[in-house]
Amino acid sequence: MRHVRHLYIHLPFCAHRCGYCDFVTVVGRKGRHGEYVDALLAELALEGDVLAMHVETVFLGGGTPTFTNASELSRLLDALPACDELTVEANPETVTPELALLLRVGGVTRVSLGAQSFRPHLLRVLERGAGPDDVRRAVHTLRDAGFDNISLDLLYGIPGESPADLAADLADALSLEPEHLSCYELEAKPGTRFTHAHGEALAAQAEALEGHFETVVDTLTAAGYRWYETANFCREAARAGGRDLRARHNLGYWHGSDYLGIGMGAVSTLAGVRRRNAPGLGRYVDALAAGAAPPREVETLDPRTRERERLLLGLRLDEPLPLAGVARVLDRAALERLRAGGLVEVAANGHGEELRLTRRGRFLGGGVTAELTLVS
Amino acid sequence: MQQDRLRNFAIIAHIDHGKSTLADRILELTGALSEREMREQVLDSMELERERGITIKAQAVRVRWRGHHLNLIDTPGHVDFTYEVSRSLQACEGALLLVDAAQGIEAQTLANAYLALDLNLDIVPVVNKIDLPQADPDAAAAELAELLGDDPERVLRISAKTGEGVEDVLDALVERVPAPTGDPEGPPRALVFDSSYDQYRGVVAFVRVVDGRFEPRETVRAMAQGTIFEAEELGVMSPAREPVESLGAGEVGYVVTGLKDVSRLRVGDTLTSRRRPATRPLPGYQDVKPMVFAGIFPTDSDEYPELRDALEKLKLSDASLSYEPETSHALGFGFRCGFLGLLHMEIVRERLEREFDLDLLITAPNVAYRATTRSGEEVEVHNPAEMPRELEQVEEPYVKASVIVPKDYVGAVMELANDRRGSFDHLEYLSEERVLLSYELPLGEIVLDFYDQLKSRTRGYASFDYDLAGFRPGDLTRVDILVGGEQVDALSLIIHRDAAYDRGRQLVERLRQEIPRQMFDVPVQAAIGSRVIARETIKARRKDVLAKCYGGDITRKRKLLEKQKKGKKRMKQVGGVEVPQEAFLAVLNLDSERKR
């Protein structure tokens, strides 16, 4: 089954684990980058036969992929299949002219920069290594190297963040004219070091977060960005020479396409089976060194579960969702209530009915989705 | 045993004044129990009673003292059980009136003392806890002497805890309490003063034989209810059940009836023998009617069958409990239960939760109303949501309430009683320091939070008792609560017109706080008929999204939303609004919140 068009590669290494982070990361272990890349390539060789002849997108996520030893990163990039969109996540402080060049030569077409904020006091709360000037310099460095598709990650809802801080962050980000912006509300996971340290401040600002989300959407759409996914914005095609600047790799997830994930903790969804590689570095490397697949959790997605996911993911986008694909899990009574309340619209076209969230519906997308979903 | 060798007595005391300790000491001193056998406070056998320090169900114990048989008949100690107390007292010729040397007479003691005097019992006054440092036995003795018109010298002074003076109490019982005087040869008559349910042997009745003699295996008839059964076993409690060959005039004991339902043998009924039936029952039988009602619903609607079974079982041992199925739009299937009073309701709730492990939602209690519709039809209403809207008149139950307080708090009590539509009856000095205030009050005002308010406004010094005093018309109105434009039946209430506006506003405000914001604006209203008297709006949420969702997150995010949706399923849908059960609970507990 050579059909998979999206490939994700996980590079877990980081200089420091930020307090709020809940990704699979590895701090230190500088000496193990080489054997980890060996393992990645081994897993790719083992699993790669599911990949289509024409792979559309590859995404190197982390961790901090650009923290990986340059030679190892380069070796990995060289081994990747050709594709239309190759994204690498980068932390601003790792972006040097040499790295930018290495990425260009390696075929990278898109860089996603973890800026998070431009306010020094907020960056300190987040324990980020970069300062505001690092972010600006990184963008300029990438531009100089010829990158024409840069995305910035911003966080809001950081303890101590005022509405003025957020407005200034958005203005600073816009002044760099990124092609793409991802804006996430800070999720404080229970039990993390961060929540422990900032729990009270987070609880106190819960109400203010409603306004923050509105500010983000209002500011970015007014600046000519398309709010194409709950947390993602790209420059409108009309203002980008007709280019569709949405993240193609991520659109694959949101459209429910299959994807292959390589690396420790990486998740794949292949023909209704989702599997997650175990998160430990040692176990991952050892298994592949022995020529075996890494330990995995496997989840079989029955047809109704797949429909529920289609609903959950589809409603995050600004495109209409065909009802035919979610008919079995759609709570029709809830749909009627939500339509009467002005949160969703149903329109018919040649292929059947389509569901679309109104603007207010998108702000309540999580609640609307929960309401619309039939659970057994 | 000859009647002149029998003494039947009860102990009248306020909670914590030492009744159970004295009973223990008597059992010990008379050798009814060795010390090793002594269980703390034998008479209070239910777990709940021990914890709450109250006696719910009366029982009787026979002890021997200097050639006499003394029967101690225990009485329930709370206002809700006045009728049962009166039946226990009727089974006696005398009573110990036990008062804490530090506390003096309390309202409840007084009420029961009057009950005993009305039944012509001879009263032996006893001051207890004289060993306490703060005891003032002289003052307590003076109060008792004043009350009974007795000589303060005749008031016994004891410490049930140390045993000091307890022998004198036993001697005084023999000397001062008259022997029974029934007709030992007449047709048998016995007063049922209590019953309990034994899962193997059915209903066990506790009786005082007044005339004649009962024997095992004979056919017995309960004269008021007409129930007929065979006396499977007769016996006395000493304090374990001890079968006997017969129970004769003046004696106190138990009858194993084999009946499967306590409601077939009510307290106060007269037993007679079918072989030689009495013509007239003993006086005083009443069919006690519940006065306080509340809806009981399972928190988890799947537990409805368990709740039904639990109530059925509870009813076997509690004849005063009544219930009928009720369907609430907001709370689902449950039961409307009738109780003697608030404490009775508390006891039932706790037993349901503790003995049957149920999670319950209980609506605010209300009283029984008698409504006359415009068409002249009369109905008794136990549920505010069923109160007809087109009314000619509503009558509500009133009580005669006695409050005893230190004189400094008279103003506070008067203020509270006035707030609660009380009408002043009289004031009486019990001593220089303590005052008895007597009021007539609507029972509906008491079931809300009167007792809690009284306690807090008098720093816990007030004691309180009441007696039903019949139905009177009142300017009452029904207030409905609407959420999202839909009436929430479980929150309807009947209230005096003057208080309707405030109460409506409080409820609506509280609901606004308790109902989480929804995806739409939700109006919350209080209304009398179609007229809205209070309104609040729960503003819609402005944001509810999962921050991010990529390939690695999908399973977790999907589970999150499924959980969110399942959570919604557990909430009660009212007018398209999901109302968590906690919101109902909070509103139902408005009164207990207010007092804090």
Side-chain angles (χ1 to χ4, degrees), chain A residues 57-78:
Chain A
T57 68
V58 178
F59 194 104
L60 264 63
T64 312
T66 51
F67 177 73
T68 314
N69 287 347
S71 57
E72 299 305 334
L73 185 57
S74 185
R75 185 156 68 95
L76 175 63
L77 289 172
D78 285 347

Side-chain angles (χ1 to χ4, degrees), chain A residues 184-185 210 213-214 231-232 254 259 274 276 299 305 309 312 316 331 341 363-364 366-367 370-371 373, chain B residues 517 519-520 541-552 554-555 558 561-562 565-566 568 578:
Chain A
Y184 307 118
E185 181 182 313
E210 297 198 340
F213 190 35
E214 284 169 7
N232 285 282
W254 298 322
Y259 52 94
R274 180 164 299 143
R276 175 186 299 270
E299 176 192 5
T305 303
E309 293 191 348
L312 149 70
R316 295 182 69 87
D331 185 333
F363 278 101
L364 298 168
E371 189 103 331
T373 310
Chain B
R517 292 163 64 198
M519 291 196 283
F520 313 104
R541 283 198 306 267
R542 283 151 64 198
K543 188 208 70 168
D544 177 2
V545 294
L546 297 168
K548 58 173 84 168
C549 187
Y550 299 105
I554 299 171
T555 295
R558 186 191 78 232
L561 288 179
E562 285 170 359
K565 173 77 175 202
K566 280 185 182 146
K568 285 173 192 289
E578 294 119 18

Side-chain angles (χ1 to χ4, degrees), chain B residues 109-418:
Chain B
T109 329
L110 197 64
N112 288 346
Y114 284 140
L115 216 50
L117 289 169
D118 287 347
L119 292 165
N120 292 321
L121 266 56
D122 282 72
I123 293 183
V124 179
V126 181
V127 172
N128 188 22
K129 305 197 188 181
I130 57 168
D131 57 309
L132 289 183
Q134 69 272 33
D136 188 350
D138 291 340
E143 272 189 16
L144 278 173
E146 173 73 27
L147 170 68
L148 303 173
D150 209 338
D151 179 353
E153 291 304 307
R154 287 185 23 108
V155 178
L156 302 176
R157 298 165 187 222
I158 70 161
S159 165
K161 196 171 128 202
T162 66
E164 182 183 351
V166 177
E167 293 199 13
D168 299 339
V169 171
L170 292 167
D171 289 339
L173 284 168
V174 171
E175 285 160 23
R176 300 194 207 170
V177 174
T181 55
D183 176 2
E185 309 304 331
R189 289 197 302 176
L191 172 71
V192 178
F193 62 85
D194 193 11
S195 66
S196 72
Y197 185 79
D198 179 310
Q199 71 175 113
Y200 303 108
R201 315 197 66 183
V203 175
V204 178
F206 295 90
V207 299
R208 153 72 195 271
V209 181
V210 176
D211 301 317
R213 181 166 293 277
F214 286 89
E215 279 164 12
R217 312 240 63 96
E218 75 175 311
T219 303
V220 172
R221 191 167 71 92
M223 297 178 77
Q225 280 192 286
T227 305
I228 290 172
F229 59 89
E230 184 185 290
E232 293 178 5
E233 179 183 307
L234 301 177
V236 296
M237 311 285 282
S238 65
R241 275 189 209 163
E242 194 178 284
V244 294
E245 286 309 305
S246 69
L247 281 176
E251 289 193 296
V252 172
Y254 67 86
V255 183
V256 175
T257 67
L259 295 169
K260 293 300 173 204
D261 179 357
V262 279
S263 63
R264 297 194 55 206
L265 190 60
R266 294 297 184 94
V267 165
D269 208 338
T270 301
L271 301 185
T272 189
S273 140
R274 204 159 68 167
R275 113 189 96 83
R276 200 183 160 202
T279 48
R280 292 178 53 191
L282 296 161
Y285 175 78
Q286 281 175 26
D287 190 8
V288 189
K289 286 215 168 95
M291 275 296 144
V292 174
F293 294 85
I296 297 189
F297 297 84
T299 304
D300 176 355
S301 51
D302 293 345
E303 281 192 350
Y304 176 81
E306 283 91 331
L307 174 59
R308 187 191 53 218
D309 293 351
L311 282 168
E312 264 172 29
K313 284 195 185 116
L314 215 53
K315 177 113 180 89
L316 291 179
S317 62
D318 185 349
S320 328
L321 172 66
S322 69
Y323 61 91
E324 57 191 39
E326 176 178 1
T327 309
S328 157
H329 179 66
L331 303 178
F333 293 106
F335 294 91
R336 179 129 296 245
C337 300
F339 310 97
L340 297 177
L342 275 183
L343 181 85
H344 186 209
M345 175 170 116
E346 262 312 288
I347 290 167
V348 169
R349 185 182 69 81
E350 276 197 38
R351 290 189 64 188
L352 286 172
E353 290 184 343
R354 191 183 301 214
E355 294 172 28
F356 299 93
D357 197 24
L358 293 167
D359 264 338
L360 302 175
L361 227 152
I362 303 191
T363 67
N366 58 269
V367 298
Y369 297 96
R370 288 182 186 162
T372 312
T373 62
R374 297 247 163 94
S375 56
E377 193 193 348
E378 282 184 29
V379 280
E380 185 157 314
V381 177
H382 295 165
N383 181 350
E386 285 166 10
M387 179 66 86
R389 289 185 198 272
E390 299 290 309
L391 284 177
E392 190 60 41
Q393 172 178 276
V394 186
E395 289 183 307
E396 58 179 331
Y398 268 69
V399 298
K400 236 177 149 54
S402 320
V403 178
I404 297 180
V405 273
K407 65 177 194 291
D408 293 351
Y409 294 106
V410 166
V413 174
M414 288 182 156
E415 201 176 84
L416 175 63
N418 285 338

Side-chain angles (χ1 to χ4, degrees), chain A residues 4-219:
Chain A
V4 179
R5 295 171 181 275
H6 303 284
L7 171 64
Y8 175 83
I9 313 259
H10 194 68
L11 285 161
F13 303 104
C14 278
H16 163 78
R17 185 174 171 92
C18 305
Y20 63 91
C21 176
D22 69 332
F23 291 103
V24 176
T25 62
V26 175
V27 175
R29 311 288 187 95
K30 199 86 184 166
R32 304 196 67 175
H33 293 193
E35 49 180 318
Y36 182 72
V37 170
D38 288 344
L40 284 180
L41 297 180
E43 194 188 4
L44 187 56
L46 212 57
E47 308 295 345
D49 57 1
V50 299
L51 291 174
M53 293 296 289
H54 175 204
V55 173
E56 285 182 38
T57 68
V58 178
F59 194 104
L60 264 63
T64 312
T66 51
F67 177 73
T68 314
N69 287 347
S71 57
E72 299 305 334
L73 185 57
S74 185
R75 185 156 68 95
L76 175 63
L77 289 172
D78 285 347
L80 294 177
C83 63
D84 304 336
E85 178 193 278
L86 171 53
T87 304
V88 174
E89 286 182 338
N91 272 6
E93 71 275 19
T94 63
V95 180
T96 59
E98 294 78 4
L99 178 90
L101 197 61
L102 182 153
L103 297 180
R104 283 291 287 172
V105 171
V108 174
T109 63
R110 185 172 178 273
V111 178
S112 171
L113 267 185
Q116 318 308 0
S117 172
F118 292 84
R119 306 303 104 200
H121 70 282
L122 299 179
L123 288 168
R124 269 197 300 278
V125 171
L126 294 173
E127 304 171 21
R128 298 294 290 182
D133 291 336
D134 292 322
V135 181
R136 295 188 185 97
R137 201 182 52 237
V139 172
H140 295 139
T141 303
L142 291 167
R143 291 281 185 231
D144 289 347
F147 282 99
D148 64 355
N149 194 353
I150 298 175
S151 177
L152 293 182
D153 281 2
L154 286 184
L155 277 177
Y156 62 90
I158 304 163
E161 181 177 25
S162 67
D165 287 332
L166 177 62
D169 267 352
L170 290 168
D172 286 350
L174 287 172
S175 73
L176 294 171
E177 301 183 335
E179 280 70 28
H180 187 278
L181 279 156
S182 300
C183 298
Y184 307 118
E185 181 182 313
L186 179 64
E187 284 181 290
K189 300 280 161 29
T192 61
R193 180 160 56 89
F194 190 80
T195 304
H196 183 71
H198 301 288
E200 280 177 32
L202 288 166
Q205 68 181 10
E207 197 96 339
L209 288 178
E210 297 198 340
H212 283 359
F213 190 35
E214 284 169 7
T215 303
V216 168
V217 173
D218 290 348
T219 307

